[in-house]
Every structure is written in structure tokens, then in C-alpha cells.
Amino acid sequence: MPVVRHDWSLSEVRALYDLPLLELVYKAQTVHREVFQDNKVQLCSLLSVKTGGCPEDCAYCPQAARYQTGVKAERLMPVDEVIENATKAKEAGATRFCMGAAWREVKDGPQFDQVLDMVRGVKALGLEACCTLGMLSEDQAKRLKEAGLSAYNHNLDTSPEFYGKIITTRVYEDRLATLRAVRQAGITVCSGGIIGMGESIDDRCRMLITLASQEVHPESVPINALVQVEGTPLAGHVKKVEAMEMVRLIAVARILMPHAMVRLSAGRLQMTEEAQLLCMMAGANSIFFGDKLLTTGNPQYEADMALLEKAGVERLRPGEQA
Ligand code: SAM
Ligand code: DTB
Ligand code: SF4
């Protein structure tokens, strides 16, 4: 088994990132196969249960109320509608169901109770249940755990150094505190980030180093390429992410966090099929499927299934470990 380290230095990680691409992919694939012998890919489904109207100022996000992006603010979705979506996702092959809310933080009260009901319902279907609801207190994390939540997604998004350039309405330490609350409650941690926001390669490396420096590595690390949405401050002002950059970062994430599920998340719509397969070679073992992410597009379901079929990529089945 690969050694699990928590003390990666920037120079070490940068040296990995800068390796000749095929060398890097080979290294990552070697680590990957030691841990995930079956080499299967997990299909995850994503649902926005509370869309838009968010008070935060995340410069990438179409759901921030302050940007004119055409995303309409909606109310929290009724529980039965969520369960209906989860049932369909399960039938389509999902083994994990992630519910996202455009909130700065969770507030106790009827809305949180409603989310707890969603979690119970999704778990009852035999799916892994994941939520991403913003900041969380220790007590709220405990209640989510009691409801059966499998994982909580809370992205660091970028390096501590670059964070202030993207978000000013909260600080990096707030994110880390939520991750600690999640860990303490016994919920698995899903945390990753976005590339293509104008950050440097070193920033990308420092983000992964921060994730890997936690006492227990996140069980799940989503890597997103920025989806540029008109009306957000970043749209039109940053260079488009090249597929090779995704491949490199995924490979480095795989090497730093050998046991994590590394998720090729937002940005697949802009990638060729070959590039997506290269990401899987580099250690990505999960994708979000379905025609929509939270508010932006994702490849068509049929196209994804055809790709997996063509390439002979095996999917994780319900109850199966990766
Ligand atoms: N409001 C909660 C929060 O910020 O933690 C949960 C929902 S938020 C939409 C979840 C994550 O989606 C963000 O942390 C960010 O990493 C990702 N995201 C949002 N907009 C994106 C975009 N335009 N491109 C890529 N990823 C994006
Ligand atoms: C993550 O890292 N990526 C997903 C999930 N976690 C919640 C969200 C991607 C959102 C992309 C922009 C949108 O569709 O609104
Ligand atoms: Fe709100 Fe989350 Fe979007 Fe930031 S990323 S604006 S917190 S929904």
C-alpha cells in the first residue's frame, strides 16, 4: 500500500505536478491500482435543493444573489420531490446522492429539519447521502450524522493565500472549522476545489497540501474546473482551464491522498471524451452524472453511458466498495 503522508512540501508537490505528463499519470495510476484494485468509477447524482439567492460573494458562483446571472432564487425543495429525484438517480445507476443548498451556513429551524428528512429519505433508498449546505456547527453536524448522512461536502476551493481574492464574506479558517465539525461528528469529509480562477499552479498545489495535511485525509476530493457563468466577476476575465491541467491536478491529488475518492466534477462539458478518460487514468474514480450539476450543464446521460460502455469502464454497484 502507498504510504499516507501529511507533510508534503510545496517543492515536492510542485515537482510532481511538473513531471512529464505521462510519467505523472503513470505514478498516479500506480498508486491508484494499489488501493483500488477493481478500478471502478462511482456515479454520483447532484441536486440543488435550494437554488440561488445566496448572501455570499464567491466570485465564481452563479447562485450569489449579488451577481446578475439569470439564476432565480427558489425555496427549499419539498422532501418528496427530493426523494423522487433520488429514486430516479438510483434507477439510473447512482450510488451516491448529493444535495446542495445556496446557503452561507445552516440555521436551526424548520428548514434544517426538512433537510434532515431529506437525508433520512435518501439513506432509506440505500444510497450514500451527501449534503453541501455551507458552514455547520458541531451540533448541526451531529444531527446530520444521526439522520444518517454519509458525507458532507465543503470545498476549500483554493489555497489559503488566494482565498481572499475569490471570497471576502468568510475566511479560510471558517471552512477548516466546518471540516473539523464534520470529522468530529463521524461524517466522512468531501472537500476539494476549483481551478481556473486566476490562481497560480503553486496555489493549486497548496490547496492539495492543505487537504492532505489534515490528520485524516478527506475520503472524497472533488476537482472542479471553473464553469464560467456570465454575470459572475470571474466570467470572461480568466483563462479557460486546459484539460491537461485537470489531468495533472487529479494525478497529484491521487498521489497525495491515495485512499480518497477523487471526483472529476464540474467542467466535463468542456472536455473531450479522451480527456475525461485520461483523468480516470490519472486517478479520478467518480463523476457526477445527469444533465445538470447544480445550475450549470453537464454531459447528457446517454453520452456518459456510451462513453463508459465504449471504454469498458466498470461502475460501482450499490453497496459495493470502490
Ligand atoms: N453554499 C455551499 C458552499 O458554498 O459550501 C454549498 C453549495 S456551493 C454551490 C458548492 C461548491 O460548488 C462550491 O464550493 C464550489 O466549489 C462549487 N462551484 C460553485 N460554482 C462553481 C462554478 N461556477 N464552477 C465550478 N465549481 C463551482
Ligand atoms: C463540487 O465540488 N462540485 C459540485 C458539488 N461539489 C456540489 C458542484 C459544482 C457546481 C458547478 C456550478 C453549478 O452547476 O452551479
Ligand atoms: Fe453561496 Fe456556496 Fe455559491 Fe458561495 S459557492 S455564493 S456560499 S452557494
Side-chain angles (χ1 to χ4, degrees):
M1 279 289 162
V3 202
V4 174
R5 289 180 47 191
H6 302 265
D7 61 349
W8 290 89
S9 70
L10 180 60
S11 56
E12 277 178 306
V13 173
R14 185 62 201 255
L16 283 173
Y17 187 97
D18 289 334
L19 279 173
L21 185 80
L22 299 183
E23 197 65 35
L24 173 59
V25 170
Y26 173 70
K27 250 191 206 303
Q29 171 75 185
T30 306
V31 169
H32 187 84
R33 289 298 182 114
E34 275 182 64
V35 179
F36 301 97
Q37 275 126 21
D38 291 346
N39 195 32
K40 292 189 175 172
V41 165
Q42 182 177 37
L43 299 184
C44 306
S45 183
L46 195 54
L47 179 69
S48 183
V49 299
K50 162 69 187 82
T51 304
C54 184
E56 299 288 270
D57 71 350
C58 312
Y60 49 77
C61 187
Q63 302 198 68
R66 64 190 74 200
Y67 311 135
Q68 305 304 312
T69 62
V71 171
K72 277 208 310 270
E74 287 169 22
R75 293 162 63 92
L76 185 62
M77 198 181 269
V79 177
D80 54 359
E81 209 174 308
V82 175
I83 303 312
E84 206 179 296
N85 273 279
T87 308
K88 284 198 189 123
K90 185 185 172 185
E91 281 162 7
T95 63
R96 185 171 172 108
F97 191 75
C98 180
M99 295 160 273
W103 286 333
R104 165 183 164 80
E105 67 213 318
V106 170
K107 294 194 180 80
D108 291 325
Q111 299 217 336
F112 184 42
D113 296 343
Q114 195 170 322
V115 171
L116 294 173
D117 281 341
M118 293 175 193
V119 171
R120 288 185 198 100
V122 169
K123 269 308 267 196
L125 291 172
L127 292 162
E128 291 176 17
C130 177
C131 275
T132 179
L133 315 167
M135 292 185 275
L136 211 61
S137 70
E138 282 181 21
D139 180 61
Q140 291 164 338
K142 260 192 227 125
R143 293 181 65 197
L144 282 165
K145 172 70 184 175
E146 280 159 19
L149 191 72
S150 321
Y152 194 81
N153 166 253
H154 200 64
N155 291 336
L156 290 182
D157 282 339
T158 189
S159 68
E161 292 78 4
F162 193 69
Y163 197 78
K165 294 248 170 0
I166 299 298
I167 299 149
T168 69
T169 46
R170 55 174 135 80
V171 292
Y172 212 68
E173 179 47 37
D174 294 331
R175 298 301 271 185
L176 294 169
T178 293
L179 293 183
R180 282 194 295 272
V182 170
R183 176 63 71 205
Q184 214 168 15
I187 301 169
T188 68
V189 170
C190 174
S191 189
I194 310 177
I195 66 171
M197 304 189 293
E199 75 287 344
S200 66
I201 306 291
D202 279 356
D203 284 313
R204 296 175 189 176
C205 293
R206 278 193 285 255
M207 172 181 86
L208 294 183
I209 289 171
T210 310
L211 291 168
S213 69
Q214 298 183 34
E215 210 173 298
V216 182
H217 286 174
E219 286 78 4
S220 164
V221 179
I223 305 291
N224 299 275
L226 176 72
V227 182
Q228 295 196 28
V229 178
E230 213 181 311
T232 58
L234 290 179
H237 297 282
V238 282
K239 231 178 102 227
K240 191 176 154 284
V241 172
E242 280 181 37
M244 295 300 151
E245 299 177 89
M246 280 296 269
V247 174
R248 283 187 183 277
L249 204 70
I250 284 171
V252 175
R254 169 54 64 219
I255 296 167
L256 263 54
M257 291 167 278
H259 296 272
M261 297 296 291
V262 175
R263 305 189 193 273
L264 168 57
S265 302
R268 284 201 303 121
L269 203 50
Q270 280 72 250
M271 292 172 87
T272 64
E273 294 192 333
E274 293 81 359
Q276 296 179 50
L277 288 172
L278 200 47
C279 287
M280 292 178 194
M281 279 287 287
N285 55 352
S286 166
I287 55 170
F288 286 116
F289 80 129
D291 308 348
K292 211 161 101 182
L293 290 165
L294 291 172
T295 64
T296 68
N298 200 38
Q300 294 283 319
Y301 174 72
E302 291 76 16
D304 273 345
M305 293 307 116
L307 171 60
L308 298 182
E309 181 74 23
K310 256 187 298 189
V313 174
E314 283 258 19
R315 314 186 230 153
L316 212 61
R317 304 286 161 184
E320 204 178 22
Q321 278 297 311

